[in-house]
Amino acid sequence: QKEVEQNSGPLSVPEGAIASLNCTYSDRGSQSFFWYRQYSGKSPELIMFIYSNGDKEDGRFTAQLNKASQYVSLLIRDSQPSDSATYLCAAGRYKLIFGTGTRLQVFP
Amino acid sequence: DTEVTQTPKHLVMGMTNKKSLKCEQHMGHRAMYWYKQKAKKPPELMFVYSYEKLSINESVPSRFSPECPNSSLLNLHLHALQPEDSALYLCASSQENNQPQHFGDGTRLSIL
């Protein structure tokens, strides 16, 4: 059974802090890795994608991939209350497996 | 607003009804997907179309029937659904399979 695992949270961080979200995956054949943000009652919104080992930065977001450890992370710098949402990690090759998501709460 | 448009946004139907969900994208994407999402759960893949051909069916019951009339459109035909089929149905598209998927706003389906 191919799985993607995330801590369900909630992860609570103060405004302006760095939020660190983590994800592990079981399928070593996975080639693509994605982070989606989902607000309650809304559809998932693509935040970051990464294909190669290392870091990828886009604005306040950094995705990190370590294929040897089968580990993906998302860092959110200068967290804002509007970042409060559930963050879904997804991994796969020809189809995506989603993790159950980590609920992030950013308090003022 | 998303570039993947799903209609209707809400649908209530009885177990004997036949209805269809529609999805449209004009980004030139060649892969399209149907997902089912229950409350507080992650999206679960149902079907994948690549270049208008069904490439993945995740052992979905036959009461769900997908159709891809052209590269921009994806339908999900519903017939004789069960109450447990009530969920948010999400359509997504990507340039090619294995590339970033962009989701529509979803259709919230309730089966009476």
Side-chain angles (χ1 to χ4, degrees), chain B residues 15-38:
Chain B
M15 289 189 284
T16 59
N17 293 157
K18 287 186 181 181
K19 296 285 185 183
S20 297
L21 308 185
K22 298 186 182 301
C23 175
E24 189 169 5
Q25 58 88 14
H26 293 290
M27 296 180 282
H29 289 176
R30 304 315 302 263
M32 297 186 76
Y33 313 80
W34 280 115
Y35 288 87
K36 172 184 177 180
Q37 187 176 26
K38 303 280 274 185

Side-chain angles (χ1 to χ4, degrees), chain A residues 19-35:
Chain A
S20 177
L21 304 163
N22 305 313
C23 167
T24 59
Y25 60 95
S26 64
D27 182 10
R28 285 195 171 275
S30 296
Q31 295 181 337
S32 306
F33 306 88
F34 305 91
W35 284 98

Side-chain angles (χ1 to χ4, degrees), chain B residues 8-105:
Chain B
K9 293 191 183 304
H10 301 276
L11 179 62
V12 179
M13 58 186 287
M15 289 189 284
T16 59
N17 293 157
K18 287 186 181 181
K19 296 285 185 183
S20 297
L21 308 185
K22 298 186 182 301
C23 175
E24 189 169 5
Q25 58 88 14
H26 293 290
M27 296 180 282
H29 289 176
R30 304 315 302 263
M32 297 186 76
Y33 313 80
W34 280 115
Y35 288 87
K36 172 184 177 180
Q37 187 176 26
K38 303 280 274 185
K40 299 191 184 303
K41 297 291 187 182
E44 293 180 20
L45 183 65
M46 300 175 70
F47 303 103
V48 180
Y49 273 83
S50 183
Y51 288 85
E52 301 169 45
K53 294 190 186 316
L54 182 64
S55 59
I56 295 177
N57 176 340
E58 288 289 281
S59 301
V60 178
S62 60
R63 58 185 184 268
F64 295 92
S65 175
E67 178 195 19
C68 188
N70 60 56
S71 60
S72 300
L73 293 174
L74 188 65
N75 298 321
L76 186 62
H77 302 299
L78 314 173
H79 174 54
L81 294 194
Q82 303 298 307
E84 61 265 27
D85 296 322
S86 297
L88 180 67
Y89 287 83
L90 294 161
C91 174
S93 70
S94 62
Q95 189 66 40
E96 301 274 349
N97 201 352
N98 209 29
Q99 294 192 355
Q101 296 179 23
H102 300 269
F103 285 85
D105 290 338

